[in-house]
Amino acid sequence: MYDAKSMKAEEFISDEEVRAALAYADENKDNLELVDALLDKAELLKGLTHREASVLLACEDPERIERMFALAEKIKKDFYGNRIVMFAPLYLSNYCVNGCVYCPYHAKNKHIARKKLTQEEIRQEVIALQDMGHKRLAIESGEDPVNNPIDYILESIKTIYSIQHKNGAIRRVNVNIAATTVENYRKLKEAGIGTYILFQETYHKESYEKLHPTGPKHDYAYHTEAMDRAMEGGIDDVGLGVLFGLELYRYEFAALLMHAEHLEAVHGVGPHTISVPRIKHADDIDPSAFDNSISDDIFAKICALIRICVPYTGMIISTRESKAVRERVIRLGVSQISGASRTSVGGYAEEEPEEECSEQFDVSDKRTLDEVVHWLMDMGYIPSFCTACYREGRTGDRFMSLCKSGQIQNCCHPNALMTLKEYLMDYASEETRAIGEKLIEAELNNIPREKTREICADHLKKIEEGIRDFRF
């Protein structure tokens, strides 16, 4: 096993190896015998290496691509069933000292409104999110040691967890903040966070340094090695992601998988989630300035192949993408989506005035949470607000062992039904509640274990009667 402390970013994300993998893919993209063998291997549900995955990404044979999509859908169902976990982002502050050229929060942008939520403002935002029905948040913040120190983040997490409004409560806070120290990761762990998420943006070192010309984020190694420090600090659920469109997508795809392989090899736990954002229009940012944008077809193929190659990971897609794109890739492996999102600092309690715009990027899917929940159920998915794994200690290697063995559904499927029931009783429109009740009844009958089905039915009845002495 590798010694995590001895592995440097340019070793586990080796530019030479990425390029060798891409060359291997080019040599074999038309080798349909090999492609079929790789897909046969993927059907064993053990994943594929970055080299193997690169061959599939390069393959353009329509019949094989259809097989990839069908396999991705099957693997998603085998590992995660028909559940889709719901969350919302909450931006705490857009003060930032970095110079990232693709982000409107960059330090030189003088016309974007700079904001930082007070603890009372956070309280109002959380109540507004609870009144929608959200139970899981991902907090976001620019990097600014003066305006957004770790103590501010920790205080904000404490505030969020303290708010009980009607039947609402935020049961899990995931954190997406800049790379930090082992000591600070320990503090985040002690604060009870769920998953620590950090997007690499791009794994191509030369491009990374050009895209981050100033600020602490300029340090490629410090940023890329953040997950190792997070795990050293006790956070065993981490989330990876790249911003597709900044660099050639095949390079990013191979390197992203190499990072997942590194975490698995060093820590025994791969990424809990992988996010797949694409660069979008934002204040002071024109996505056409970046010449590596990808089509919806390529984007769908990337999503399918991540699911095939890292079958155990949760896959996240945000409201950056349209309803049509989200509908397509949910089928191909996505297991978590945001709903009714705001990418401004605040914006849930009161709509932000246009002249005070603090958005990080434009939102493409502007539907309400109720509309998103209804849409998912129309497609046969169970919108899940469950966070029980975190409270029951099913994180890190414990979660992965259950997931890889296919046993996690014994926990997650009933809990998804019960949290959906809570949502239907407390927040849903009449139309959404009607379709939801039919879905729950059908899904309850599909729970294979009789004892589990009985317990679930009992809790569903208690929820309907207004008894809330348990939490999922």
Side-chain angles (χ1 to χ4, degrees):
M1 181 175 288
Y2 298 118
D3 177 358
K5 294 182 179 179
S6 69
M7 291 293 290
K8 302 301 179 185
E10 290 180 71
E11 293 178 286
F12 61 81
I13 308 293
S14 163
D15 178 73
E16 181 181 0
E17 172 54 26
V18 174
R19 295 185 185 281
L22 300 186
Y24 176 76
D26 287 334
E27 292 168 6
N28 289 281
K29 64 181 181 180
D30 298 320
N31 183 347
L32 299 185
E33 184 178 352
L34 174 61
V35 171
D36 286 338
L38 292 176
L39 290 170
D40 288 343
K41 178 181 177 182
E43 287 181 347
L44 301 175
L45 308 183
K46 302 298 183 184
L48 297 175
T49 68
H50 64 277
R51 281 203 177 203
E52 294 168 333
S54 294
V55 172
L56 297 185
L57 185 58
C59 176
E60 297 178 351
D61 178 74
E63 183 179 336
R64 271 68 183 184
I65 293 173
E66 282 305 309
R67 186 180 171 193
M68 294 175 205
F69 286 176
L71 180 55
E73 184 172 10
K74 179 182 183 301
I75 291 173
K76 160 63 168 56
K77 289 179 180 176
D78 286 346
F79 278 88
Y80 286 96
N82 59 344
R83 293 172 290 107
I84 301 293
V85 172
M86 308 301 301
F87 76 96
L90 175 60
Y91 284 73
L92 301 179
S93 171
N94 65 355
Y95 284 94
C96 193
V97 298
N98 289 310
C100 314
V101 302
Y102 53 85
C103 177
Y105 292 176
H106 66 85
K108 291 184 179 180
N109 187 353
K110 301 302 181 185
H111 49 80
I112 192 172
R114 298 289 178 177
K115 297 181 180 179
K116 173 185 175 180
L117 298 180
T118 65
Q119 297 305 308
E120 178 54 34
E121 287 171 332
I122 290 172
R123 176 179 171 80
Q124 295 306 315
E125 293 296 311
V126 169
I127 288 173
L129 285 157
Q130 289 174 348
D131 280 342
M132 291 183 201
H134 278 295
K135 307 295 185 189
R136 179 191 303 235
L137 299 185
I139 60 171
E140 321 260 352
S141 175
E143 183 171 11
D144 187 324
V146 174
N147 287 294
N148 316 324
I150 190 66
D151 288 344
Y152 170 69
I153 303 297
L154 295 171
E155 183 183 9
S156 300
I157 294 170
K158 184 177 181 181
T159 295
I160 292 167
Y161 278 141
S162 72
I163 300 166
Q164 304 287 325
H165 176 67
K166 300 180 180 176
N167 286 334
I170 300 302
R171 299 171 181 169
R172 191 53 47 195
V173 177
N174 296 335
V175 174
N176 184 354
I177 63 170
T180 186
T181 63
V182 172
E183 179 185 0
N184 285 342
Y185 287 125
R186 287 197 181 101
K187 291 178 180 178
L188 289 170
K189 174 68 174 179
E190 290 167 3
I193 73 165
T195 304
Y196 172 68
I197 300 166
L198 182 67
F199 296 165
Q200 180 62 27
E201 321 299 5
T202 175
Y203 283 99
H204 188 280
K205 185 173 185 291
E206 184 179 351
S207 295
Y208 180 96
E209 291 173 346
K210 288 179 180 177
L211 290 164
H212 307 92
T214 58
K217 197 169 178 177
H218 177 75
D219 189 334
Y220 174 86
Y222 189 77
H223 187 86
T224 311
E225 295 161 11
M227 295 309 185
D228 292 296
R229 294 195 302 278
M231 287 191 165
E232 187 180 343
I235 298 174
D236 50 6
D237 281 351
V238 299
L240 303 179
V242 294
L243 184 54
F244 284 104
L246 296 180
E247 187 46 75
L248 296 175
Y249 70 90
R250 289 178 59 206
Y251 190 103
E252 304 290 24
F253 176 77
L256 176 65
L257 295 185
M258 288 172 69
H259 201 168
E261 291 165 1
H262 165 74
L263 295 178
E264 182 86 34
V266 172
H267 304 285
V269 181
H272 188 71
T273 59
I274 293 178
S275 300
V276 287
R278 287 192 287 181
I279 191 164
K280 295 289 182 178
H281 180 270
D283 180 271
D284 200 42
I285 303 298
D286 178 3
S288 66
F290 303 91
D291 57 5
N292 294 305
S293 61
I294 57 176
S295 68
D296 290 349
D297 286 343
I298 291 174
F299 183 63
K301 191 176 181 184
I302 287 171
C303 292
L305 288 175
I306 289 174
R307 172 54 64 212
I308 288 170
C309 301
V310 197
Y312 57 79
T313 195
M315 285 182 62
I316 300 175
I317 191 166
S318 75
T319 50
R320 284 176 181 263
E321 300 295 343
S322 67
K323 172 188 173 184
V325 170
R326 301 215 300 171
E327 189 164 316
R328 183 178 184 185
V329 298
I330 282 173
R331 179 175 68 84
L332 299 176
V334 165
S335 57
Q336 296 187 27
I337 69 170
S338 53
S341 300
R342 299 285 186 272
T343 67
S344 53
V345 179
Y348 293 105
E350 289 185 27
E351 187 140 353
E352 189 176 58
E354 192 172 333
E355 64 274 13
E356 297 178 13
C357 180
S358 63
E359 286 185 332
Q360 189 182 36
F361 56 85
D362 290 351
V363 170
S364 296
D365 187 346
K366 299 180 183 291
R367 291 173 295 169
T368 66
L369 181 59
D370 188 79
E371 289 171 329
V372 172
V373 167
H374 192 141
W375 164 69
L376 288 171
M377 293 191 299
D378 272 341
M379 294 190 293
Y381 294 104
I382 306 170
S384 174
F385 298 86
C386 179
T387 60
C389 281
Y390 297 107
R391 284 187 309 285
E392 295 298 324
R394 294 190 294 265
T395 61
D397 58 358
R398 294 165 297 287
F399 173 86
M400 289 300 174
S401 64
L402 288 170
C403 186
K404 291 176 182 179
S405 67
Q407 296 302 308
I408 194 67
Q409 290 204 58
N410 295 328
C411 304
C412 295
H413 192 178
N415 284 344
L417 295 179
M418 289 184 278
T419 58
L420 175 59
K421 181 74 171 184
E422 286 185 317
Y423 175 84
L424 296 176
M425 295 300 299
D426 294 340
Y427 308 105
S429 64
E430 288 186 18
E431 187 178 359
T432 299
R433 185 178 301 163
I435 188 175
E437 294 291 358
K438 290 181 181 178
L439 178 66
I440 288 174
E441 183 179 357
E443 290 291 335
L444 181 62
N445 292 330
N446 288 332
I447 295 176
R449 294 184 180 180
E450 184 178 353
K451 185 64 176 177
T452 303
R453 190 164 61 248
E454 289 175 357
I455 293 171
C456 185
D458 181 58
H459 282 333
L460 288 169
K461 185 178 180 181
K462 287 180 178 178
I463 292 169
E464 194 163 330
E465 294 170 349
I467 300 171
R468 303 298 173 84
D469 59 350
F470 45 87
R471 284 292 179 259
F472 312 104

